[in-house]
Amino acid sequence: MKVFKFGGASIKDSSAVRNMIQIIQANQSEPLVVIVSAMGKTTNAIEGILALAMEGQDFSKELVELQKFHNNIVKELSLSHDEILTKEIGQTYEELENQINSFSSSLGYDFLYDQAVSLGEILSSRIVDAALNHAGTQSFWMDARKVVKTDNLHRAAKVDWGATQNIIRSNVSQHIEDHIVVSQGFIGSNSNFDTTTLGREGSDFTAAIFGTSLNADSVTIWKDVPGVLNADPKKFDNTKKYKQLPFKEAAEMTYYGATVIHPKTIKPLAQADIPLYVRSFEHPDEPGTLINECIIPNLAPAIIHKDRQTVISFKISDFSFINEHHISLIFENINRLNLTINLMQNSAISFTICMDDNPAKREMLMTSLKENFSIYYNEGLELITVKNYNQKTINELMKDVEVIIEQRSRNNFQMVYKA
Ligand code: ASP
């Protein structure tokens, strides 16, 4: 059995959906579970509608536009005659509107977010399921909210692995013999059956959840890039594609900010030793990148770039030196505020951290520590991490930038700089 995941870009319009169907049909010879994200930029669009609603503004125009977008795809796929699909889409939009209109502050915004934003995945999976059946491929629509069980942490729900794996196994096995099973990424439900979501871009993670639950032979993420590249082609020239990457290497790349795969995807697959492929939906005959348990000597340096970075320095002003007590004080507050450090450095009299720009939390952190330190900060900086670096790559990167912090270990080079 295989698990395929198709993200928003791979189903952004009717021709993309047709292309996806071709990929599925070419791989139909063995049991297949297909996980889909919301189509195109639907998730952003629903977030925008929610933002308007929260400001008390009229969102009807945006809602109508989004519905037109989905209806248009249905029409172009020649599915308008499918009464069940048309009814389902209509009902889903009604539900979206009702959810927003019945917003209760006691349940909170994050609760509403999950109920509303998850409908993007429901719409896309309904359309994909109908399109597959229409194209002669027997498909079964599975509601991920019934099979992916999570805690109550809306917008960043944690998976209840035990329950989820059992439910997925028993539900999928009933249909997989004679159907492609189509389900949604990113969404699940808590013990009250309220919808939860796993965090933005979480559909890759869902594919890993299904993959490990079903002990799949492999999981494939179909993307708009040829595979895992050694740098973001939108930011760097002459990028190279990895043919194969060790799980550990790929996991670390996501930790440092590589966005090609959701960071939570690798761990469950590595633990279950299930290979992960990253392949291009535009060039489905190309092999893409295989991520598995392997040793690859002389991997090309991976360059991972993050913008919107803040550097904060905590300085001791009384001629004493930074010691463990000071550091633990800083960390207590970082932990309390749930901040993530991207890089840190200490000297005799100061401790410096680099984190994603977050003015509100930066202010809270500084307020809690202002009695103990003189605090300085810079925002809007950029961070580059190079895994498996060589001097030539670093020289290139350091050209024409003002380096603020530089750090290297045996395998990794990092610098924070002003562009
Ligand atoms: N639709 C969700 C998002 O855009 C989840 C995903 O695509 O992975 O974040």
Side-chain angles (χ1 to χ4, degrees):
M1 184 186 313
K2 285 182 179 165
V3 176
F4 281 3
K5 180 258 168 170
F6 290 92
S10 64
I11 45 172
K12 69 177 196 298
D13 54 29
S14 56
S15 64
V17 174
R18 278 201 197 92
N19 179 55
M20 180 203 72
I21 291 173
Q22 274 179 10
I23 294 174
I24 292 173
Q25 290 182 334
N27 287 279
Q28 236 176 311
S29 55
E30 58 182 302
L32 192 60
V33 174
V34 172
I35 304 297
V36 294
S37 305
M39 291 174 149
K41 300 269 180 247
T42 302
T43 306
N44 290 354
I46 303 178
E47 282 186 351
I49 289 168
L50 287 180
L52 288 174
M54 290 301 107
E55 286 163 10
Q57 293 192 41
D58 182 21
F59 54 85
S60 49
K61 190 174 129 254
E62 283 72 10
L63 196 63
V64 168
E65 251 167 49
L66 190 60
Q67 189 160 6
K68 266 195 202 148
F69 164 76
H70 284 109
N71 285 343
N72 198 34
I73 294 179
V74 168
K75 195 172 131 220
E76 287 181 8
L77 290 169
S78 311
L79 294 172
S80 304
H81 67 279
D82 185 330
E83 281 170 23
I84 297 173
L85 176 65
T86 313
K87 197 166 144 216
E88 277 159 357
I89 292 179
Q91 281 172 348
T92 308
Y93 271 95
E94 253 169 54
E95 188 183 341
L96 179 57
E97 207 170 348
N98 288 342
Q99 290 287 0
I100 298 173
N101 289 333
S102 60
F103 170 62
S104 106
S105 47
S106 64
L107 289 170
Y109 175 73
D110 289 352
F111 174 88
L112 167 68
Y113 179 98
D114 283 357
Q115 313 317 302
V117 167
S118 56
L119 297 177
E121 266 68 14
I122 298 298
L123 289 162
S124 67
S125 58
R126 287 288 192 196
I127 297 172
V128 164
D129 171 60
L132 277 167
N133 281 313
H134 184 70
T137 296
Q138 291 285 306
S139 154
F140 179 82
W141 183 84
M142 187 164 284
D143 191 340
R145 296 169 297 189
K146 297 215 167 97
V147 299
V148 177
K149 298 307 296 177
T150 74
D151 67 3
N152 278 327
L153 194 61
H154 287 285
R155 297 184 72 177
K158 301 255 172 338
V159 174
D160 175 345
W161 283 95
T164 299
Q165 293 195 320
N166 285 333
I167 303 173
I168 288 182
R169 231 172 269 145
S170 66
N171 278 265
V172 171
S173 64
Q174 292 170 37
H175 305 281
I176 200 74
E177 285 302 315
D178 39 17
H179 291 89
I180 304 284
V181 171
V182 173
S183 195
Q184 309 80 38
F186 175 59
I187 71 176
S189 70
N190 63 18
S191 52
N192 295 330
F193 292 93
D194 298 321
T195 304
T196 52
T197 62
L198 308 174
R200 285 298 310 258
E201 312 293 332
S203 295
D204 293 351
F205 182 37
T206 304
I209 296 169
F210 273 80
T212 51
S213 304
L214 299 166
N215 197 19
D217 297 319
S218 64
V219 170
T220 303
I221 299 177
W222 294 92
K223 302 226 27 143
D224 53 0
V225 284
V228 179
L229 303 178
N230 76 324
D232 182 347
K234 289 187 202 108
K235 295 194 179 97
F236 299 93
D237 299 328
N238 306 324
T239 52
K240 290 193 192 93
K241 190 199 82 180
Y242 295 107
K243 277 199 188 115
Q244 195 178 4
L245 270 177
F247 278 128
K248 192 175 148 288
E249 202 69 30
E252 283 181 26
M253 283 167 69
T254 67
Y255 170 83
Y256 289 116
T259 52
V260 61
I261 311 161
H262 188 276
K264 286 188 182 161
T265 311
I266 311 269
K267 186 178 165 195
L269 294 176
Q271 282 173 339
D273 201 12
I274 297 173
L276 172 66
Y277 292 89
V278 178
R279 294 179 63 182
S280 160
F281 59 78
E282 283 153 356
H283 303 285
D285 299 331
E286 301 286 322
T289 301
L290 163 62
I291 302 167
N292 64 354
E293 192 58 57
C294 60
I295 298 168
I296 312 276
N298 306 321
L299 269 175
I303 304 169
I304 303 132
H305 173 267
K306 274 188 130 195
D307 54 12
R308 293 196 286 268
Q309 298 294 298
T310 298
V311 163
I312 314 180
S313 293
F314 302 91
K315 285 205 163 139
I316 308 272
S317 37
D318 65 358
F319 288 94
S320 63
F321 297 126
I322 280 276
N323 62 26
E324 285 66 20
H325 167 70
H326 299 123
I327 297 177
S328 87
L329 203 60
I330 296 169
F331 270 89
E332 257 167 45
N333 285 283
I334 288 172
N335 188 33
R336 180 177 58 78
L337 293 166
N338 217 352
L339 287 166
T340 303
I341 298 180
N342 298 330
L343 176 150
M344 58 192 154
Q345 197 168 58
N346 69 318
S347 71
I349 56 156
S350 77
F351 190 80
T352 299
I353 62 164
C354 172
M355 61 177 216
D356 294 349
D357 283 348
N358 187 335
K361 288 209 174 169
R362 187 244 308 137
E363 212 36 57
M364 287 191 239
L365 182 64
M366 287 168 59
T367 308
S368 355
L369 290 164
K370 68 172 191 252
E371 305 293 324
N372 308 81
F373 303 95
S374 308
I375 308 175
Y376 305 87
Y377 74 91
N378 283 70
E379 278 174 334
L381 302 172
E382 314 207 6
L383 168 67
I384 276 187
T385 304
V386 188
K387 288 188 68 10
N388 312 311
Y389 64 88
N390 55 39
Q391 197 54 44
K392 186 169 157 264
T393 312
I394 292 173
N395 293 347
E396 277 289 308
L397 293 169
M398 288 178 105
K399 238 177 20 198
D400 309 325
V401 296
E402 184 189 331
V403 177
I404 291 166
I405 305 175
E406 185 190 327
Q407 222 171 55
R408 48 183 105 192
S409 65
R410 225 171 301 167
N411 296 316
N412 295 351
F413 167 87
Q414 288 192 294
M415 68 171 179
V416 183
Y417 64 98
K418 253 193 209 147

